[in-house]
Amino acid sequence: MSATYGTTVRVTIFGESHGKGIGLVLDGVPAGTPVDEGFIRSEMARRAPGQNLLSTQRKETDAFIIESGVFEGRAEGTPICVLIPNSDQHSKDYSLLKDNMRPGHADYAGRVKYGGFHDYRGGGHFSGRLTAPLVWAGALAKQVLAAEGIVVGAHIARLARVEDRPFAPLGETAEILASLRTQVLPTLDPAAAPRMEAAILAAREGLDSVGGVVEVLALGLPAGLGDPFFDSLESRLSHALFSVPAVKGVEFGDGFGLADLRGSEANDAMHYEDGVVKTLTNHNGGITGGITNGMPVLFRVAVKPTASIARPQHTVNVAERRDTILTIQGRHDPCIVPRAVPVLEAVTAWTLWDVLLRDRKGEGL
Amino acid sequence: MSATYGTTVRVTIFGESHGKGIGLVLDGVPAGTPVDEGFIRSEMARRAPGQNLLSTQRKETDAFIIESGVFEGRAEGTPICVLIPNSDQHSKDYSLLKDNMRPGHADYAGRVKYGGFHDYRGGGHFSGRLTAPLVWAGALAKQVLAAEGIVVGAHIARLARVEDRPFAPLGETAEILASLRTQVLPTLDPAAAPRMEAAILAAREGLDSVGGVVEVLALGLPAGLGDPFFDSLESRLSHALFSVPAVKGVEFGDGFGLADLRGSEANDAMHYEDGVVKTLTNHNGGITGGITNGMPVLFRVAVKPTASIARPQHTVNVAERRDTILTIQGRHDPCIVPRAVPVLEAVTAWTLWDVLLRDRKGEGL
Amino acid sequence: MSATYGTTVRVTIFGESHGKGIGLVLDGVPAGTPVDEGFIRSEMARRAPGQNLLSTQRKETDAFIIESGVFEGRAEGTPICVLIPNSDQHSKDYSLLKDNMRPGHADYAGRVKYGGFHDYRGGGHFSGRLTAPLVWAGALAKQVLAAEGIVVGAHIARLARVEDRPFAPLGETAEILASLRTQVLPTLDPAAAPRMEAAILAAREGLDSVGGVVEVLALGLPAGLGDPFFDSLESRLSHALFSVPAVKGVEFGDGFGLADLRGSEANDAMHYEDGVVKTLTNHNGGITGGITNGMPVLFRVAVKPTASIARPQHTVNVAERRDTILTIQGRHDPCIVPRAVPVLEAVTAWTLWDVLLRDRKGEGL
Amino acid sequence: MSATYGTTVRVTIFGESHGKGIGLVLDGVPAGTPVDEGFIRSEMARRAPGQNLLSTQRKETDAFIIESGVFEGRAEGTPICVLIPNSDQHSKDYSLLKDNMRPGHADYAGRVKYGGFHDYRGGGHFSGRLTAPLVWAGALAKQVLAAEGIVVGAHIARLARVEDRPFAPLGETAEILASLRTQVLPTLDPAAAPRMEAAILAAREGLDSVGGVVEVLALGLPAGLGDPFFDSLESRLSHALFSVPAVKGVEFGDGFGLADLRGSEANDAMHYEDGVVKTLTNHNGGITGGITNGMPVLFRVAVKPTASIARPQHTVNVAERRDTILTIQGRHDPCIVPRAVPVLEAVTAWTLWDVLLRDRKGEGL
């Protein structure tokens, strides 16, 4: 029952990399919410593969079909089902992988869990391709949030040890966030992107892959969103973020860096600014006690290097119960980080949308 | 609705720091589960305050009353309610804090969320005291897991820049984990603890506080636990871990360090060891694709320095809508990290218990 | 995991008839909600036993202690925990019942489910005493609903074949509903109550028990509450109603009577009345397509005769695996129906409150 | 968020009567579960319209496409998505219904709820057509239950005042249940079906519709399934049953008839039969305390007459805010009861499957 997440807006995903298609059901979208398919397509395109040498050469347009829940350009209030058919499958590439477990992948863990009954081709349901439905939901969420003055943006903070400058903890301009959307390798420092590109191409040359860190910023959130304890905003965001394949770390504000500060350094002093409570620093990433404090929400996400690499690797053949050496064929991303950027933005956007809708409930009672 | 977490075993917590008491309801505990109150008390004692100069001087024995759900020493299968009365409250210490927001605390965010209606004394429901019920649930979980050969342990990996040696990624002996339980400042390197103690006492002297990193290890988990996507084991663990006050970062395996590795370095090569699939390294922390792979589950948690410090701090008075300088009175922990160790172990234990129970469902069908 | 219900306001109950006490946790109550303890006590008194010969002679004042979540007379927004200590237990009455299963009771089903580990005394967690926490939650809900102009009332429509007149399908006055609250046997027809009382006393004399039907009316609900399919208002209400012990049937509007009508008779014709859409009849009980249509919500609930009777009954001794004849000792209700009235009202009130809060979510987005 | 139901196996439905199609996502189906598409088609055919004069003349083959989650004839363990395209839509029939509210339908309630944004054609998401996905899920559940010796069957107990004989409370043979599956109007008494058919055709002639009562029986369930209080088996079944359009009443065992019995009549005496505990009667319908007692589970469901009738009816035009007379065009069922039989069986089957899977969880711990 891992396919559904959310409380007020609920996302359910389905599909496998090499089956008929993938998709999602979005339940709880308020009736009348405008659905701008052009904007959604532009977000899907940011994630879609096959656009350049930085990603896998599998060509998927990620065209989608809205099966239900949208009528005359608006959400009906009833469940929205979206299908994204698979088109460019090379299933024969995967026959080797039925019994030979790819290191770093879900193959072995998934095989134990599902007793060998799941579709192993291209990672099946574990495929990064399943992030396309997440982007669809995020694109709709972004439209709703934008109408409330809330913007989510992200950049590659670090890739193969190349560092971008971090987001300013007190926020960036909407223009800067908008410009990030247009970059293949979104960075704040224009000098960082070419160095990152070179690192990716070098990894590709070396039949290897590289990882990185994505930094996400949400501007315009009101104070008071979230909960203490089990539905802390950090809990809900991290739950969603760790569901994205290859994510291995999440830290809010200064995160692990906070462990090295003293309280007198880490506490964000407060003051009034034009009648509004603000903090002078933002070590806490806009969240204290699990609840937004009105400052920008800021966090970083660690993305591991793509597990699929073309080099021979030591592994096991579980059918024959023996050690073996595996050379993975097929088309793979030398670095998943650039495509992870819109996915992590999307996951953030619909989690925030869900929390916003939930926390506004019952205000009139 | 932040008070409940879990799917098969469900934990609900309640209470405020300076109200009548705090407690929990545990629903879904299988009938017949032995409830060893002595062991639970020993776990509660690990978290209890007032034991030495390293923690707050508030004396709370954290004695508990089982209101329901346990009969003749065993879980009945019906909801277990446990009350932990408050005993050593100094409510007058807190009157200043009604309108003056403590920096780094939930005070302001909580006030916006609850419109000023919540009990502000001692942090109210946001108090670290609410982690006592989490430890109760964890102590029960540990007993169940131990009977299955599963052990959870933790140490202070870093405190005020003092580092302990990390857990061996391929696991530690049960003896080492057991010895950690007996230490006030649990470290693997005996030289680290005195240096950490000195750092805490220095912070205390300086009317300041320090943070740190806790590393958690779970041994003996079978492969195949967890789910792809929204109920990935990382999602479920991080959800629970980020619900613990002061936690600001979670990373599995090499975590943020994975961002700097190449795929050929990060992939954990597999082989057969006595007929069982093992990996030669454990960069992934025992979880791939959201599911355990049979290796030790390993993660680190960043704990920020205690927000309550005795130094004067710049902040706001929200009743008078003006800037002010606040000097917090009362008794506080100069470092929450040592007391966070049993809490993070506990949260890990009951999350794993929940996942174990859930994933065994329906095996016979 | 049967102890929690609700989506926006969540009720968790715990306790056993002959343990330390029973109680509830209410999570999600909006901060600032007034908590009128006097009114709550008056509702608890309506359900409390031992007041006359019509109910069990067990004396329980059902005094309650608010452990958390209420501060200075208002909900804080954090979880409200309420304890209701047990006071008048005669546990020795129950020793016979450890192995001898009472016919019509949960004894045997519960013993199989819980493997014999649950507290059998007085029905344990299955006891009708667990409806006291339901009434507490309902009393709070009624206060909130009343402020919105929503009133829930109920009467005994039928008891031991004695019939009261039914509620007028288009609604009753608030005065009539208020007067029902003051009656020991709430009926619309003053002649019905004495005949019902005589029937109960006759059953008591005969060491037997009688059942009945309770009719519930909710006035003032806006149109548009509820959902199609799985969260239809009928689904959510029936889910809650069937959780009350002894309830065996629920029907909305004409209910089973609709099966005998033609569409032309059953369809409620619509018209405008002072600019508001109304129906001329209310065969559908105010709900169509799972959603309120602005008419009074009306339903009936079948309550079976109390299973505990003093006559000898054929049953089994499961320890000795043999047939036996059981004569139940102890104090029991000859008819549970009058005490079920406030319980069913309460369950209705907090289900409606939950739906109201949920359906108002996100209106501003 | 009304589109999802279940805890261990979770059903999510989507679609509208006159959109691209309808369908479902089934999450939590254990890996390896055989998926017999032929049997599923035979169940779908029992519900499909257009087969005779007793139902609507809309021809829908209800052919389905499995998009995901099934590999080589077995469930993978990952989400199963099934699409059922719409084929025989006459959308023009519905233009009149945009603003003219059909009495007895969800039209007005839905319009208020969704603010007029939902697809009004053919009832949109409220359409009885959405029961096709329920039957799909039920067909899979029936296969799983059959392998466990559990059989669910149903008959028309009453239709337009024509009565069939009731199920024997202590159970029927598997042969009798199997024969019911093959009948267009499934009855136990062969003389009842022709009289029911005549009543339906008469209603059709009279531009009217008729309702009825469906009785459902589940054989072979072990004792101990279900829960006290909020997840009582009655709560969970009624929740699912009331989500089926047109259902207005549910009663277990003798249901409303229990209100008229004395305890000495209603209590089902217990005895040992070949070493197994059985009851001599089954007034409680196989459930006591919310939990199965090992006897057949037996309940009745009231189905109201189809709201769509061809006669002119008094109603409102909400665009012009005036009273009007509406004559519904299009193709409609003169009686929904025969098609409701497989739907109610299906809903019962997957609710029982969900409870079974859940209650077996953690048995080894």
Side-chain angles (χ1 to χ4, degrees):
Chain A
M1 245 156 7
S2 58
T4 300
Y5 191 63
T7 53
T8 303
V9 176
R10 219 181 274 196
V11 180
T12 298
I13 59 170
F14 58 84
E16 290 112 36
S17 175
H18 287 62
K20 284 211 176 59
I22 61 177
L24 77 154
V25 180
L26 259 182
D27 194 20
V29 176
T33 301
V35 178
D36 178 343
E37 296 192 29
F39 176 74
I40 295 173
R41 265 191 294 272
S42 72
E43 287 288 293
M44 300 289 278
R46 291 177 65 204
R47 195 215 68 94
Q51 302 174 323
N52 52 51
L53 288 177
L54 302 180
S55 74
T56 171
Q57 294 309 297
R58 176 170 174 173
K59 310 273 187 217
E60 287 284 3
T61 57
D62 285 350
F64 58 82
I65 302 159
I66 298 176
E67 287 284 326
S68 68
V70 179
F71 188 56
E72 299 175 350
R74 287 177 181 269
E76 301 183 46
T78 55
I80 298 175
C81 177
V82 178
L83 272 189
I84 306 168
N86 292 330
S87 57
D88 183 26
Q89 302 136 292
H90 290 191
S91 292
K92 64 182 175 326
D93 288 346
Y94 291 99
S95 52
L96 182 67
L97 303 181
K98 183 175 178 189
D99 299 322
N100 294 289
M101 306 287 97
R102 293 171 300 173
H105 262 290
D107 293 6
Y108 174 68
R111 184 161 176 133
V112 174
K113 179 176 181 66
Y114 295 124
F117 289 109
H118 67 300
D119 183 353
Y120 52 84
R121 296 170 303 163
H125 184 62
F126 290 92
S127 169
R129 183 152 172 68
L130 267 288
T131 58
L134 305 184
V135 171
W136 202 99
L140 187 58
K142 283 180 180 179
Q143 296 173 50
V144 176
L145 295 176
E148 301 266 322
I150 299 164
V151 186
V152 174
H155 71 114
I156 304 175
R158 187 175 174 92
L159 187 153
R161 298 177 192 263
V162 180
E163 286 208 54
D164 190 21
R165 81 157 170 86
F167 276 133
L170 301 184
E172 301 279 353
T173 65
E175 290 68 38
I176 287 179
L177 294 189
S179 85
L180 289 172
R181 285 193 72 240
T182 65
Q183 304 178 39
V184 174
L185 293 173
T187 55
L188 296 163
D189 174 359
R195 294 176 56 213
M196 291 177 180
E197 179 169 357
I200 297 174
L201 294 174
R204 183 184 166 85
E205 283 293 303
L207 307 181
D208 215 334
S209 63
V210 287
V213 173
V214 175
E215 191 180 35
V216 182
L217 179 67
L219 296 175
L221 287 167
L225 293 178
D227 281 279
F229 292 97
F230 304 127
D231 281 338
S232 82
L233 190 55
E234 289 134 321
S235 289
R236 293 180 64 166
L237 281 168
S238 72
H239 191 130
L241 294 164
F242 274 117
S243 72
V244 176
V247 168
K248 296 299 281 189
V250 172
E251 58 179 359
F252 292 87
D254 287 1
F256 281 88
L258 280 166
D260 291 347
L261 298 186
R262 293 200 153 206
S264 56
E265 298 165 312
N267 286 347
D268 297 306
M270 281 181 273
H271 72 139
Y272 274 97
E273 208 174 294
D274 301 329
V276 178
V277 174
K278 296 282 179 192
T279 61
L280 293 165
T281 52
N282 191 13
H283 298 291
N284 283 284
I287 305 174
T288 45
I291 300 174
T292 54
N293 62 9
M295 299 302 294
V297 166
L298 193 61
F299 56 87
R300 270 175 304 281
V301 181
V303 179
K304 73 175 186 177
T306 322
S308 288
I309 56 174
R311 293 189 182 189
Q313 296 181 89
H314 288 276
T315 192
V316 293
N317 179 304
V318 291
E320 302 174 10
R321 299 183 67 77
R322 61 170 174 82
D323 296 351
T324 186
I325 288 176
L326 172 68
T327 305
I328 304 173
Q329 309 295 327
R331 302 160 298 177
H332 302 289
D333 291 272
C335 182
I336 202 74
V337 179
R339 296 176 62 203
V341 170
V343 174
L344 296 171
E345 283 177 21
V347 158
T348 302
W350 51 257
T351 302
L352 292 174
W353 184 23
D354 185 26
V355 175
L356 260 172
L357 280 169
R358 175 166 163 181
D359 283 4
R360 291 205 183 155
K361 69 179 189 288
E363 282 181 350
L365 278 192
Chain B
M1 247 156 5
S2 57
T4 301
Y5 191 63
T7 53
T8 303
V9 176
R10 218 180 277 195
V11 179
T12 298
I13 59 171
F14 57 84
E16 290 111 37
S17 175
H18 286 62
K20 283 211 178 59
I22 60 177
L24 77 154
V25 180
L26 259 182
D27 194 20
V29 176
T33 301
V35 178
D36 178 344
E37 296 192 31
F39 177 73
I40 295 173
R41 265 192 292 273
S42 71
E43 287 289 292
M44 299 289 278
R46 291 176 65 203
R47 194 214 70 93
Q51 302 174 323
N52 52 52
L53 288 177
L54 302 180
S55 74
T56 170
Q57 295 309 296
R58 176 171 175 174
K59 310 272 187 218
E60 287 285 2
T61 57
D62 286 350
F64 58 83
I65 302 159
I66 299 176
E67 287 285 324
S68 67
V70 178
F71 188 57
E72 299 175 346
R74 288 176 180 270
E76 301 184 45
T78 55
I80 297 174
C81 177
V82 178
L83 272 189
I84 306 167
N86 292 329
S87 56
D88 184 25
Q89 301 136 291
H90 291 190
S91 292
K92 64 180 174 331
D93 288 346
Y94 291 98
S95 53
L96 181 68
L97 303 181
K98 183 174 178 187
D99 299 321
N100 295 288
M101 307 285 97
R102 293 170 299 173
H105 261 289
D107 293 5
Y108 174 68
R111 185 164 175 131
V112 174
K113 179 176 181 66
Y114 295 124
F117 288 109
H118 66 299
D119 183 353
Y120 52 85
R121 297 170 302 163
H125 183 62
F126 291 92
S127 168
R129 182 152 172 68
L130 267 287
T131 57
L134 305 184
V135 171
W136 202 100
L140 187 58
K142 283 180 179 181
Q143 295 173 51
V144 176
L145 295 176
E148 301 266 322
I150 298 165
V151 186
V152 174
H155 70 115
I156 304 175
R158 188 174 173 94
L159 187 153
R161 298 177 193 262
V162 179
E163 286 207 55
D164 189 22
R165 81 154 171 86
F167 276 132
L170 300 184
E172 301 279 352
T173 64
E175 290 70 38
I176 287 179
L177 294 189
S179 85
L180 290 172
R181 285 193 71 240
T182 66
Q183 304 179 39
V184 175
L185 293 173
T187 54
L188 296 163
D189 173 359
R195 294 176 55 213
M196 290 177 181
E197 178 169 356
I200 297 173
L201 294 175
R204 182 185 167 86
E205 283 293 303
L207 307 182
D208 214 334
S209 63
V210 287
V213 174
V214 176
E215 191 180 35
V216 183
L217 179 68
L219 296 175
L221 286 167
L225 293 179
D227 281 278
F229 294 97
F230 304 127
D231 281 339
S232 83
L233 190 55
E234 288 133 323
S235 289
R236 293 180 64 166
L237 281 168
S238 71
H239 192 130
L241 295 164
F242 275 117
S243 73
V244 176
V247 169
K248 296 300 281 190
V250 172
E251 59 179 359
F252 292 87
D254 287 2
F256 281 88
L258 281 166
D260 291 346
L261 298 187
R262 293 199 151 207
S264 56
E265 297 164 313
N267 286 347
D268 297 307
M270 279 181 273
H271 72 139
Y272 274 99
E273 208 174 294
D274 300 329
V276 178
V277 174
K278 296 282 180 192
T279 61
L280 293 166
T281 52
N282 191 14
H283 298 291
N284 283 284
I287 305 174
T288 45
I291 299 173
T292 54
N293 63 8
M295 299 302 294
V297 166
L298 193 59
F299 54 87
R300 269 176 305 281
V301 181
V303 179
K304 73 176 186 177
T306 322
S308 288
I309 55 174
R311 292 188 183 190
Q313 296 183 87
H314 288 275
T315 190
V316 293
N317 179 305
V318 292
E320 302 173 10
R321 300 183 67 78
R322 62 170 174 81
D323 296 351
T324 187
I325 289 176
L326 172 68
T327 305
I328 303 173
Q329 309 295 327
R331 303 159 299 176
H332 302 288
D333 291 271
C335 182
I336 202 75
V337 179
R339 296 176 63 205
V341 170
V343 174
L344 296 170
E345 284 178 21
V347 159
T348 303
W350 50 257
T351 303
L352 292 174
W353 184 23
D354 185 26
V355 175
L356 260 171
L357 279 169
R358 176 166 162 181
D359 283 5
R360 292 205 181 155
K361 71 179 187 290
E363 283 183 349
L365 278 191
Chain C
M1 242 154 13
S2 56
T4 301
Y5 191 62
T7 54
T8 302
V9 176
R10 217 180 276 195
V11 179
T12 298
I13 59 170
F14 58 84
E16 290 110 37
S17 175
H18 286 63
K20 284 211 176 60
I22 60 176
L24 77 153
V25 180
L26 259 183
D27 195 20
V29 176
T33 302
V35 177
D36 179 343
E37 296 192 31
F39 177 74
I40 296 173
R41 266 190 293 273
S42 72
E43 287 289 291
M44 299 290 278
R46 292 176 65 204
R47 194 214 70 93
Q51 302 174 323
N52 52 52
L53 288 177
L54 302 180
S55 73
T56 169
Q57 293 311 294
R58 175 171 174 171
K59 309 273 187 217
E60 288 284 1
T61 57
D62 286 349
F64 57 83
I65 302 160
I66 299 177
E67 287 284 325
S68 68
V70 179
F71 189 55
E72 299 174 348
R74 286 176 182 269
E76 302 184 45
T78 55
I80 297 174
C81 176
V82 178
L83 273 188
I84 306 167
N86 291 330
S87 57
D88 184 26
Q89 301 136 292
H90 290 189
S91 293
K92 66 181 174 328
D93 288 347
Y94 291 99
S95 52
L96 182 68
L97 303 181
K98 183 175 178 187
D99 299 321
N100 294 288
M101 307 287 97
R102 292 170 299 174
H105 261 289
D107 294 6
Y108 175 68
R111 184 161 177 133
V112 173
K113 178 176 181 65
Y114 296 125
F117 289 108
H118 67 299
D119 183 353
Y120 52 84
R121 296 169 302 164
H125 183 62
F126 291 92
S127 168
R129 182 152 171 68
L130 267 288
T131 58
L134 305 184
V135 171
W136 201 100
L140 187 58
K142 283 180 180 180
Q143 295 173 50
V144 175
L145 295 176
E148 302 266 322
I150 300 164
V151 186
V152 174
H155 71 115
I156 304 175
R158 187 175 173 93
L159 188 153
R161 299 177 191 261
V162 179
E163 287 208 53
D164 189 21
R165 79 153 171 89
F167 277 132
L170 301 183
E172 299 281 353
T173 65
E175 291 67 39
I176 288 179
L177 294 189
S179 85
L180 289 172
R181 284 194 72 240
T182 65
Q183 303 179 41
V184 174
L185 292 174
T187 54
L188 297 163
D189 174 0
R195 293 177 54 216
M196 291 177 181
E197 178 170 356
I200 296 173
L201 293 174
R204 182 185 167 86
E205 284 293 304
L207 307 182
D208 214 333
S209 63
V210 287
V213 174
V214 175
E215 189 179 36
V216 183
L217 179 69
L219 295 175
L221 287 167
L225 293 178
D227 280 278
F229 294 96
F230 304 127
D231 282 338
S232 82
L233 190 55
E234 288 133 323
S235 289
R236 292 181 65 166
L237 281 169
S238 72
H239 191 130
L241 295 163
F242 274 117
S243 72
V244 177
V247 168
K248 297 299 281 188
V250 172
E251 60 179 358
F252 293 87
D254 287 2
F256 281 88
L258 281 166
D260 290 347
L261 298 187
R262 293 202 151 203
S264 56
E265 299 164 311
N267 287 346
D268 298 307
M270 281 181 273
H271 72 139
Y272 275 97
E273 206 174 296
D274 300 329
V276 178
V277 174
K278 297 281 178 192
T279 61
L280 293 165
T281 51
N282 190 14
H283 299 290
N284 283 284
I287 305 174
T288 45
I291 299 173
T292 55
N293 63 8
M295 299 303 293
V297 166
L298 194 60
F299 55 89
R300 269 175 306 280
V301 181
V303 179
K304 73 176 187 178
T306 322
S308 288
I309 56 174
R311 291 188 183 190
Q313 295 181 89
H314 288 275
T315 190
V316 293
N317 179 305
V318 291
E320 303 174 8
R321 300 184 65 78
R322 62 171 175 81
D323 295 351
T324 186
I325 289 175
L326 172 69
T327 305
I328 303 174
Q329 309 296 326
R331 304 159 298 177
H332 302 287
D333 291 271
C335 181
I336 202 74
V337 179
R339 296 177 63 204
V341 170
V343 174
L344 296 171
E345 284 178 21
V347 158
T348 302
W350 49 257
T351 302
L352 292 174
W353 184 22
D354 186 27
V355 175
L356 259 172
L357 279 169
R358 176 168 163 179
D359 284 4
R360 292 205 183 156
K361 71 179 187 289
E363 281 182 351
L365 279 191
Chain D
M1 246 157 7
S2 58
T4 301
Y5 191 63
T7 54
T8 303
V9 176
R10 219 180 275 195
V11 179
T12 298
I13 60 170
F14 58 84
E16 290 111 36
S17 174
H18 286 61
K20 283 213 176 58
I22 61 176
L24 78 154
V25 180
L26 258 183
D27 194 20
V29 176
T33 301
V35 178
D36 178 344
E37 296 191 31
F39 176 73
I40 296 173
R41 265 191 293 272
S42 72
E43 287 288 292
M44 299 289 278
R46 291 176 65 204
R47 193 213 70 93
Q51 302 175 322
N52 51 52
L53 287 177
L54 302 180
S55 74
T56 170
Q57 294 309 297
R58 176 171 174 172
K59 309 272 188 218
E60 288 284 3
T61 57
D62 286 350
F64 58 83
I65 302 160
I66 298 176
E67 287 285 325
S68 68
V70 179
F71 188 56
E72 299 175 347
R74 286 176 182 270
E76 303 185 44
T78 56
I80 298 174
C81 176
V82 178
L83 273 189
I84 306 167
N86 292 330
S87 56
D88 184 25
Q89 302 136 290
H90 290 190
S91 293
K92 65 180 174 331
D93 288 347
Y94 291 100
S95 52
L96 182 67
L97 303 181
K98 183 175 178 187
D99 299 321
N100 294 289
M101 307 287 96
R102 293 170 299 173
H105 262 287
D107 293 6
Y108 174 68
R111 184 163 176 132
V112 173
K113 178 177 182 64
Y114 295 125
F117 289 109
H118 67 300
D119 183 354
Y120 52 84
R121 296 169 302 164
H125 183 63
F126 291 92
S127 168
R129 181 151 173 69
L130 267 287
T131 57
L134 305 183
V135 171
W136 201 100
L140 187 58
K142 283 180 179 178
Q143 295 174 51
V144 175
L145 295 176
E148 302 266 321
I150 299 164
V151 186
V152 174
H155 71 115
I156 304 175
R158 187 175 174 93
L159 189 153
R161 298 177 193 263
V162 180
E163 287 208 53
D164 189 22
R165 79 155 171 86
F167 277 133
L170 300 182
E172 299 280 352
T173 65
E175 291 67 41
I176 286 179
L177 294 189
S179 85
L180 289 171
R181 285 193 71 240
T182 65
Q183 304 179 40
V184 174
L185 292 174
T187 55
L188 296 163
D189 173 359
R195 294 177 54 216
M196 290 177 181
E197 179 169 356
I200 296 173
L201 294 175
R204 183 186 166 85
E205 283 293 303
L207 307 181
D208 215 334
S209 63
V210 288
V213 174
V214 176
E215 190 179 36
V216 183
L217 178 68
L219 295 175
L221 286 167
L225 293 178
D227 280 278
F229 294 97
F230 305 127
D231 282 339
S232 83
L233 190 55
E234 288 134 323
S235 289
R236 293 181 65 166
L237 281 168
S238 72
H239 191 130
L241 295 163
F242 274 117
S243 71
V244 176
V247 168
K248 297 299 281 189
V250 172
E251 60 178 357
F252 293 87
D254 287 1
F256 282 87
L258 280 165
D260 290 346
L261 298 186
R262 294 201 150 203
S264 57
E265 298 164 313
N267 287 346
D268 297 306
M270 280 181 273
H271 73 139
Y272 275 96
E273 206 175 296
D274 300 330
V276 178
V277 173
K278 297 281 180 193
T279 62
L280 293 164
T281 52
N282 190 13
H283 298 291
N284 283 283
I287 305 175
T288 44
I291 300 173
T292 54
N293 63 8
M295 299 302 294
V297 166
L298 193 60
F299 56 88
R300 269 174 306 280
V301 181
V303 180
K304 73 175 186 177
T306 322
S308 289
I309 55 174
R311 293 188 182 190
Q313 296 181 88
H314 288 275
T315 191
V316 294
N317 179 305
V318 291
E320 302 174 10
R321 299 184 67 77
R322 61 170 175 80
D323 296 350
T324 186
I325 289 175
L326 172 68
T327 305
I328 304 173
Q329 309 296 326
R331 304 159 298 176
H332 302 287
D333 291 272
C335 182
I336 202 73
V337 179
R339 294 178 64 204
V341 170
V343 173
L344 295 170
E345 284 178 20
V347 158
T348 302
W350 50 256
T351 301
L352 292 173
W353 184 23
D354 186 27
V355 175
L356 259 173
L357 279 169
R358 174 166 164 180
D359 283 4
R360 292 205 182 155
K361 70 178 189 288
E363 282 182 350
L365 279 190

